[in-house]
Amino acid sequence: MWSASGSGRHYWEVTVKRSQQFRIGVADVDMSRDSCIGVDDRSWVFTYAQRKWYTMLANEKAPVEGIGQPEKVGLLLEYEAQKLSLVDVSQVSVVHTLQTDFRGPVVPAFALWDGELLTHSGLEVPEGL
């Protein structure tokens, strides 16, 4: 996985199998590993629960429409633009973009309640994104 990023565009994919609840996104590099992502203002995540997608920041959830439960999704981090996007890998299209306020370098972050989660890093940003 790439190291903490404070610049540039980064893309990675996540494969999730047999999971009913998980969170994926980024967090401040110095956020405590004992904290759960999505419950404070130092992490920016997309969460999947009850067969629906949501954005999550500081424990506030907002629904994300237009995506079911794909086995693989992409995440596109555009640091200078202060954006984190959820990507439908099968369509190579952005489903939803979180406008953020990164205050320093961030790292990929994950939380998984069941099933398994695999990350695919070192990928080029797909054309068209």
Side-chain angles (χ1 to χ4, degrees), residues 10-21:
H10 303 272
Y11 177 78
W12 65 102
E13 293 177 352
V14 177
T15 299
V16 182
K17 295 181 179 171
R18 298 182 305 282
S19 179
Q20 298 306 307
Q21 187 173 354

Side-chain angles (χ1 to χ4, degrees), residues 50-114:
Q50 288 91 43
R51 299 192 189 143
K52 292 192 170 85
W53 284 93
Y54 303 89
T55 60
M56 195 168 182
L57 172 67
N59 235 5
E60 293 289 316
K61 286 204 292 196
V64 172
E65 302 296 329
I67 188 168
Q69 184 181 13
E71 191 169 272
K72 185 187 279 188
V73 293
L75 289 164
L76 175 64
L77 170 67
E78 298 173 275
Y79 192 88
E80 283 81 7
Q82 301 273 289
K83 290 180 185 174
L84 179 67
S85 299
L86 181 67
V87 175
D88 181 335
V89 173
S90 64
Q91 309 281 327
V92 193
S93 64
V94 169
V95 175
H96 190 86
T97 298
L98 274 172
Q99 193 67 48
T100 66
D101 57 345
F102 302 131
R103 293 180 287 281
V106 294
V107 292
F110 317 95
L112 184 70
W113 278 259
D114 59 357

